[in-house]
Amino acid sequence: MKKRSVLLLAAAIGLMLTACGGSKETASHESDSTVKNAAQEESPKAAETKETEAATETEDLPASQEYVSSDGSYKVILIEGVTQTDMPLSDGFIMMGLDGGSERTGFSAIAIRCNKSSVPKNLGNIENLEDFADYITDLALDGSGVTVSWEDTDAPSTEGTQLCLAKEGVARSGISRGQAYGYYVETENDYYSVVIVGNDDDVDEARQVLALEFSDTASAQGQEGTIGFFNGMTAVLDSINGTNTLELSKMMEDAGEDEKELKDTLSSQMQQSLSSSWGIESATDLIETADMLINEGHNQDALDFLGEYGGMDESDRDAFDAKLKEQNLDDETYISLLAAYDAWTAYGDSAIAAWDLSRVGTIMGMGYGAGYCTYEEAMDKILEAAVKSQELFDSWEDFNKSYLYGYSYWSGESLDDSESSAAERAELVNDLETQANGPFAVKWDTELKKEW
């Protein structure tokens, strides 16, 4: 089954929360001493029979194999011989596809780890595991034509989890029919899911051996080195979009002809997005826009705009604020000017440069996906932006503050308004900054060099 089927079929999710099952114990009202005596009185022959039965049960299990996520943060134990395809969509959102190939025709599974602070396209709306299940269901099945008749089923317990749920059902798409099983767990910091589809026998075997294991010491994807630094620069928008456009495009390119349909769809979408959002419709447009962001961007616009209103002549923020209020400006203009002033007083002529530089990686990743540049050309241009970032700022904290000032300037929304998208973005930045293995764990003074 192609990975496109994995995304549309195997990522089907149940909606109802089911409590995790604890370790199995025999219910009894007998005292501890009574239980102990009963065990002592068991005959040697009976004990030997039980050991033999347990060994036989283990031997009857299907052959299993460990499949480790690309960042090493978790592993899935599943049936042996499944082909793994890594899909590191963004820091904190790590997915892998598991395909049965010719040996298990039609069998596929998808596993996801999602940091609670990095749930894409749904900032602040995922409150619990059930919400996450709803979100993934909508993401995977919207417009796919796939329907699943889900029923609650007992969820096996996994060590280190707070909650878990499990669902089973029949998946139908046209005349095709198969079995579906979903297992979802919540830990202190993350949500995990494993969803399986296939014929009845394959899914039954997979369920017998399915298990999840987590690693407390794993590093985030690409956390070290130059590429790790690149990921930090685009981390906020990656979390909002649910993917790193460059990594996603590279993954599709590496998949070759096996994913030609999905790759063509991705290319078309990125061309459309570049055209509608940036006016980019060619390789020349792409490079010119990237150079504009590196050299001038909105930063120069903000400085010029601030100068027009005398902001650079005013050293007191309250006095400048009062001066703006006297002019009866519309809200967006007022907010944008204050954001530009705050950025300028904090970082001088670099003001909101991080807002521009952070987006170079995004548009170059989309440009690569759209076919406007090669992977090397995209990486080389992002390297220029990264070097410029280190020249202008002293830390991720400064870079992120400049970024947020830039967003506030561009959107005309105040960072102090808790209901604004600017405040939501500031909260996201804070969440990402506090992640021990998050995108900003890479050292700011990382030596930047070509690693591709």
Side-chain angles (χ1 to χ4, degrees), residues 193-431:
S193 63
V194 180
V195 185
I196 305 166
V197 294
N199 65 51
D200 291 349
D201 290 341
D202 287 342
V203 174
D204 285 341
E205 289 188 2
R207 290 179 62 174
Q208 291 180 56
V209 299
L210 173 63
L212 271 172
E213 294 182 9
F214 319 117
S215 171
D216 295 330
T217 59
S219 298
Q221 169 70 16
Q223 185 177 339
E224 299 179 353
T226 301
I227 295 178
F229 193 92
F230 290 179
N231 290 341
M233 291 178 64
T234 61
V236 177
L237 198 54
D238 290 348
S239 294
I240 293 171
N241 290 338
T243 185
N244 179 298
T245 56
L246 186 65
E247 291 179 353
L248 179 61
S249 300
K250 186 66 164 64
M251 181 189 73
M252 289 295 100
E253 184 68 24
D254 292 343
E257 290 301 313
D258 290 341
E259 291 297 341
K260 188 178 186 305
E261 180 184 357
L262 183 56
K263 184 168 63 175
D264 290 345
T265 299
L266 177 69
S267 177
S268 177
Q269 290 175 342
M270 291 196 175
Q271 288 177 8
Q272 181 179 357
S273 182
L274 285 172
S275 177
S276 61
S277 299
W278 291 88
I280 296 173
E281 298 184 355
S282 67
T284 300
D285 291 343
L286 176 67
I287 299 304
E288 287 180 351
T289 303
D291 287 340
M292 180 272 294
L293 290 173
I294 293 172
N295 297 315
E296 296 179 357
H298 284 98
N299 184 60
Q300 190 59 53
D301 291 339
L303 295 175
D304 292 342
F305 194 42
L306 184 62
E308 290 177 15
Y309 282 83
M312 295 178 179
D313 300 324
E314 186 59 69
S315 59
D316 183 85
R317 188 184 193 276
D318 290 338
F320 182 59
D321 186 13
K323 183 185 296 184
L324 293 179
K325 288 179 178 177
E326 292 175 356
Q327 301 180 54
N328 295 318
L329 302 171
D330 62 83
D331 289 344
E332 287 191 9
T333 300
Y334 169 74
I335 292 171
S336 293
L337 282 166
L338 279 183
Y341 180 87
D342 290 337
W344 176 71
T345 56
Y347 303 113
D349 289 344
S350 300
I352 63 169
W355 166 245
D356 298 318
L357 295 168
S358 69
R359 293 178 295 161
V360 173
T362 300
I363 67 164
M364 292 307 300
M366 295 174 68
Y368 168 54
Y372 295 154
C373 68
T374 66
Y375 178 74
E376 184 174 8
E377 288 170 338
M379 295 293 279
D380 287 348
K381 188 58 66 174
I382 300 170
L383 179 59
E384 288 184 41
V387 170
K388 183 72 172 289
S389 297
Q390 286 187 335
E391 291 174 353
L392 299 182
F393 301 99
D394 296 327
S395 65
W396 283 117
E397 181 181 6
D398 288 336
F399 182 86
N400 290 334
K401 285 182 178 179
S402 172
Y403 171 90
L404 290 172
Y405 284 138
Y407 181 79
S408 180
Y409 170 80
W410 174 80
S411 65
E413 296 192 24
S414 174
L415 294 167
D416 296 326
D417 179 2
S418 61
E419 301 299 320
S420 70
S421 63
E424 288 183 349
R425 196 160 294 212
E427 183 179 358
L428 173 59
V429 167
N430 181 69
D431 289 339

Side-chain angles (χ1 to χ4, degrees), residues 46-71:
E48 180 180 351
T49 300
K50 285 187 176 182
E51 291 177 359
T52 301
E53 291 174 348
T56 301
E57 182 178 349
T58 301
E59 291 174 359
D60 288 342
L61 288 176
S64 63
Q65 181 176 336
E66 294 182 350
Y67 301 91
V68 183
S69 66
S70 59
D71 68 340

Side-chain angles (χ1 to χ4, degrees), residues 102-167:
S102 59
E103 296 298 319
R104 295 179 183 270
T105 303
F107 177 88
S108 61
I110 189 168
I112 295 173
R113 166 195 163 239
C114 183
N115 188 277
K116 290 179 180 178
S117 64
S118 302
V119 179
K121 294 185 180 179
N122 219 345
L123 300 179
N125 294 332
I126 300 297
E127 301 289 344
N128 50 47
L129 186 60
E130 184 177 0
D131 288 344
F132 180 69
D134 288 343
Y135 171 73
I136 295 298
T137 299
D138 292 341
L139 181 70
L141 298 183
D142 184 30
S144 69
V146 176
T147 60
V148 177
S149 302
W150 290 106
E151 293 183 0
D152 299 331
T153 188
D154 292 337
S157 61
T158 293
E159 184 178 358
T161 62
Q162 295 178 334
L163 292 172
C164 64
L165 65 85
K167 305 288 286 187

